[in-house]
Amino acid sequence: MTLQATNPQTSCADPEPSSTLRVAAAREAIQSGIKPILTTERLALRDALGRVLAQPIISPLDVPGHTNSAMDGYALKGSDLQSSSITSFKLIGTSVAGQPFPGHCQSGECIRIMTGAPMPEGADTVIMQEQAKLDETQMVSFTSQHKQGQNVRHAGEDIAKGSRVLEPGRRLTAADLGVMASLGFGEVSVRRRPRVAFFSTGDELRGIGESLREGDVYDSNRYSLYGMLKNCGVHLLDMGVIKDDPEALRQAFQAAAEEADMVISSGGVSVGEADYTKKILQQLGEIHFWKIAMKPGRPLAFGELGQTRFFGLPGNPVAVMVTFYQFVLPAIHYMATGKPYQPFILTAVCHDALRKRPGRYEFIRGVFSTGDDGQLSVESVGQQGSGILTSMSRGNCFILLPESCAGVSEGDRVEIQPFASLSLE
Ligand code: AMP
Ligand code: MG
């Protein structure tokens, strides 16, 4: 893995130090350090929901399989509608789904037909029943104008036999399950889920149910990490809390690296803090400690422990979530699918003035909504401190203020990233 620190190229008065990495550069470096998982397994169709497809789905049949009616009505020869001598049609039979009309439709004849029923031979047009009058002699006449070929669905118009319907690397949706079922697939080949081990570090951390001494805090990062990882569809390995102790940390890193494709820790990556973490990681693998020009979430470690990729996230609860969403989630997506992550970004009118200095990327927690005028608008949740975890609960999006931004005035348009899009399943 090669890596270059990038200077933020802005006109800001108070630039970040030159060792600081821009957000985009960190994302690129991470992606180039990740190998997509190629191992596959076969699953029953329903179990494949949310999983990554490993094979192309090529249609063994036409969908629909036969040309059929899009309406309840009457099927007839469209060319008859131009004929001045035909004013009414003789009703000669019925075609319903599952029981097609066995005969042939001749000129001047029509067949009662239900939605989805196969078109009788000779007929190419359907007139809906609301526009038809049937008399007691079984003759049908039609009100209003009609076009030859109307109200007919053609064989293969949705999916043609032999066509590629779904491509490998795609995460399967509910619609995809339906599409594959319509083609008769009972099983599909999917990629193995990434195995992700995670733990918290810190002598001050207590588990739920333990009593808190002066200065202790409950370990919350493992719960927010659990939730975010669960929404990424990975296989989870929760390794608990590890003390700020060199031997305990070494064992945790080693055990995690043996089991997992990716290891995520939180805490202990601040500058000057617990130097042995740095030493151990550098002995066990190849790790970079980065200062990223962003707020919150400045320190981040990324690297390799053998075949396993390692993320050392900051300890602050908001910073954990922001760095996870901005770096780890794209990395998991790439590992799982082999495709670069495309963030889902909208624009909204900002109802607050936001102070910011250029040179670093800020991820403000906001609430967006649609106003009476149909426009998306967004406002800050208020308190933005990196320990204020409720800002992530109250917010429903990040307001994205990139490095070059020098602040936002009320009424400016800003980019937002909805939290609801930060899930891979
Ligand atoms: P650190 O990066 O280890 O210096 O931690 C920064 C801050 O985040 C400190 O106030 C820690 O107590 C807090 N913190 C670290 N890990 C956790 C955790 N797992 N749960 C809650 N707070 C944490
Ligand atoms: Mg700590």
Side-chain angles (χ1 to χ4, degrees):
M1 191 167 25
T2 54
L3 184 68
Q4 281 185 338
T6 313
N7 263 320
Q9 298 296 308
T10 62
S11 59
C12 63
D14 182 18
E16 295 287 333
S18 59
S19 61
T20 301
L21 210 59
R22 275 176 166 245
V23 167
R27 282 200 192 113
E28 276 168 33
I30 290 167
Q31 188 180 304
S32 67
I34 300 253
K35 281 204 209 88
I37 289 173
L38 297 174
T39 324
T40 65
E41 56 185 323
R42 281 190 79 72
L43 290 182
L45 194 56
R46 286 182 180 180
D47 295 332
L49 181 64
R51 297 294 298 272
V52 177
L53 190 63
Q55 63 175 103
I57 298 294
I58 295 166
S59 181
L61 34 93
D62 277 333
V63 179
H66 47 254
T67 300
N68 68 87
S69 176
M71 292 281 177
D72 290 345
Y74 295 89
L76 46 76
K77 268 190 178 338
S79 54
D80 284 357
L81 296 166
Q82 261 78 56
S83 159
S84 52
S85 58
I86 303 174
T87 51
S88 60
F89 293 75
K90 186 173 171 44
L91 180 62
I92 59 159
T94 304
S95 178
V96 294
Q99 267 178 306
F101 176 71
H104 195 103
C105 180
Q106 308 285 354
S107 200
E109 294 177 343
C110 69
I111 288 107
R112 178 101 175 96
I113 194 162
M114 299 300 155
T115 306
M119 288 293 284
E121 255 180 79
D124 63 357
T125 302
V126 171
I127 298 179
M128 62 197 283
Q129 61 188 18
E130 290 84 347
Q131 296 168 343
K133 265 215 310 269
L134 172 66
D135 70 18
E136 54 294 344
T137 67
Q138 299 294 294
M139 293 300 287
V140 187
S141 54
F142 301 107
T143 59
S144 66
Q145 291 292 301
H146 302 285
K147 270 208 341 251
Q148 183 163 13
Q150 71 182 19
N151 299 329
V152 173
R153 303 170 183 150
H154 291 277
E157 78 173 17
D158 184 4
I159 303 169
K161 184 174 173 176
S163 62
R164 285 171 78 98
V165 185
L166 300 172
E167 294 294 334
R170 177 187 181 82
R171 209 174 275 277
L172 294 169
T173 64
D176 296 340
L177 294 199
V179 166
M180 290 187 288
S182 74
L183 302 179
F185 283 82
E187 280 189 350
V188 283
S189 175
V190 297
R191 296 196 191 182
R192 175 174 73 73
R193 290 178 194 274
R195 295 169 67 82
V196 180
F198 61 110
F199 56 84
S200 297
T201 67
D203 285 343
E204 77 284 24
L205 303 178
R206 295 287 163 268
I208 296 167
E210 289 180 346
S211 53
L212 297 180
R213 296 167 314 179
E214 178 79 24
D216 288 352
V217 294
Y218 286 122
D219 169 21
S220 63
N221 289 345
R222 233 161 15 97
Y223 291 84
S224 47
L225 273 174
Y226 167 86
M228 294 187 290
L229 286 167
K230 199 79 183 157
N231 287 338
C232 286
V234 298
H235 186 89
L236 295 179
L237 300 158
D238 183 345
M239 298 183 60
V241 177
I242 311 297
K243 292 264 175 232
D244 288 321
D245 165 69
E247 206 33 53
L249 280 165
R250 180 195 301 279
Q251 277 174 21
F253 290 135
Q254 266 172 334
E258 273 165 31
E259 289 288 315
D261 302 299
M262 186 184 285
V263 181
I264 302 170
S265 68
S266 74
V269 287
S270 327
V271 189
E273 186 186 1
D275 258 350
Y276 43 79
T277 304
K278 210 170 185 171
K279 272 197 212 100
I280 294 167
L281 284 168
Q282 277 160 347
Q283 280 165 14
L284 295 177
E286 193 194 335
I287 310 288
H288 303 275
F289 287 83
W290 296 331
K291 271 182 248 152
I292 300 185
M294 68 186 283
K295 187 185 167 191
R298 212 157 86 111
L300 181 75
F302 173 71
E304 303 167 8
L305 298 169
Q307 289 304 303
T308 302
R309 297 300 171 266
F310 170 79
F311 280 97
L313 305 185
N316 264 312
V318 180
V320 166
M321 296 197 75
V322 174
T323 49
F324 183 94
Y325 283 140
Q326 300 305 325
F327 303 109
V328 185
L329 180 141
I332 291 174
H333 175 83
Y334 187 68
M335 185 178 262
T337 66
K339 294 186 175 166
Y341 178 70
Q342 302 292 342
F344 180 78
I345 290 170
L346 301 170
T347 1
V349 174
C350 190
H351 280 184
D352 287 317
L354 302 173
R355 287 162 58 93
K356 173 179 179 295
R357 64 184 171 97
R360 69 179 180 200
Y361 207 130
E362 293 195 15
F363 297 88
I364 309 285
R365 277 76 69 209
V367 177
F368 75 96
S369 58
T370 310
D372 293 339
D373 57 357
Q375 289 260 344
L376 274 190
S377 67
V378 67
E379 52 192 28
S380 159
V381 296
Q383 262 193 314
Q384 295 285 335
S386 67
I388 312 281
L389 189 52
T390 51
S391 67
M392 289 295 303
S393 286
R394 282 184 285 123
N396 63 5
C397 68
F398 288 122
I399 303 173
L400 303 175
L401 304 182
E403 290 88 347
S404 59
C405 169
V408 172
S409 307
E410 196 181 328
D412 282 358
R413 296 187 78 79
V414 288
E415 293 200 319
I416 60 169
Q417 185 177 28
F419 291 163
S421 70
L422 292 167
S423 159
L424 298 178
E425 280 212 311

